[in-house]
Amino acid sequence: WGRSSRPRSPECRQWQHTSCLLDVMDKSCDVTADLSPLVHLGSAMSVWMCCCAFPYAPCPPEGLSPRCVDALVEHVGPMASSGERPGRDDLVLALQLVREGLLAADNSSACALLAPAAPRLRCNITSASDSWAPPRPDLFCELTRWRYQDLGVAPSAGEARLLNCSFPPRESGPAALQRTGGALPERTRKFIHARLGLQLEERM
């Protein structure tokens, strides 16, 4: 395994959250995507669900990672609160800042195995093969491995070969195939809304 494809330790407490952030970032670079649902609290598979213990599986407020919620409130909260469609570059940068913050706050050796923050990337909307510029095969392998193990989504043979990603027999998380398509329960949305309201008051 190279740096871009070595096994990622499941003991890293941020693994689920940071991988989900990469998933949202990848969706953000899809030129056909409507970005508003990605930051909207009530949308299915919104970025806020990345803070659940098992991202995209609906969770109660006590199932959220406080550190993850705080980071999203800081960096993505203004976009979610504005009512306007977020800018693609702004959203991708905000997601990277959230990921960086989560990994910087967790100095465990397991999290040190994850792909580094630098170089930061932007969407590469001019390329059909590389959605990120500069290309980050380390991040993309991290993302495809999480999708494979936790969501049951296997990459094509061409993708894995091109990126030098290796994939062991699937090790699905709880109800992996039932984790997509859901939305946050009302009680959880109200909890995050309160955090967003507190942030808005602090900015005034």
Side-chain angles (χ1 to χ4, degrees):
W1 292 69
R3 170 96 189 176
S4 65
S5 55
R6 74 177 69 175
R8 308 303 186 187
S9 171
E11 295 177 1
C12 174
R13 291 171 293 180
Q14 310 306 323
W15 161 252
Q16 291 287 339
H17 310 308
T18 59
S19 299
C20 180
L21 291 168
L22 292 177
D23 186 60
V24 177
M25 194 163 69
D26 190 44
K27 293 172 182 174
S28 301
C29 288
D30 180 350
V31 295
T32 66
D34 179 1
L35 303 186
S36 296
L38 296 179
V39 301
H40 191 272
L41 274 172
S43 298
M45 299 178 68
S46 77
V47 68
W48 301 96
M49 298 190 78
C50 291
C51 293
C52 291
F54 294 101
Y56 299 149
C59 65
E62 54 270 23
L64 294 167
S65 160
R67 181 176 291 167
C68 177
V69 171
D70 287 346
L72 277 180
V73 165
E74 178 181 358
H75 297 293
V76 179
M79 302 178 198
S81 304
S82 71
E84 300 178 2
R85 187 167 74 174
R88 194 177 310 279
D89 290 340
D90 292 339
L91 178 55
V92 168
L93 174 60
L95 293 170
Q96 290 178 89
L97 292 173
V98 174
R99 180 181 183 272
E100 290 171 22
L102 291 178
L103 293 180
D106 191 322
N107 59 2
S108 67
S109 59
C111 290
L113 290 173
L114 300 182
R120 286 182 182 160
L121 53 85
R122 299 179 66 178
C123 295
N124 185 10
I125 61 175
T126 62
S127 173
S129 57
D130 293 316
S131 58
W132 298 339
R136 288 292 307 268
D138 52 350
L139 288 178
F140 198 79
C141 283
E142 203 162 287
L143 167 60
T144 51
R145 184 181 179 90
W146 177 75
R147 284 174 172 168
Y148 186 56
Q149 292 185 177
D150 286 83
L151 302 185
V153 178
S156 68
E159 286 178 325
R161 185 167 55 252
L162 176 67
L163 294 167
N164 192 29
C165 300
S166 299
F167 296 88
R170 207 178 100 218
E171 304 165 12
S172 299
L177 299 181
Q178 300 177 24
R179 280 171 60 180
T180 58
L184 289 173
E186 181 180 3
R187 190 161 67 93
T188 307
R189 295 199 304 271
K190 287 182 177 180
F191 173 82
I192 298 175
H193 266 300
R195 293 289 296 114
L196 288 169
L198 176 60
Q199 182 217 33
L200 292 175
E201 290 174 7
E202 290 173 348
R203 287 175 177 268
M204 292 178 63

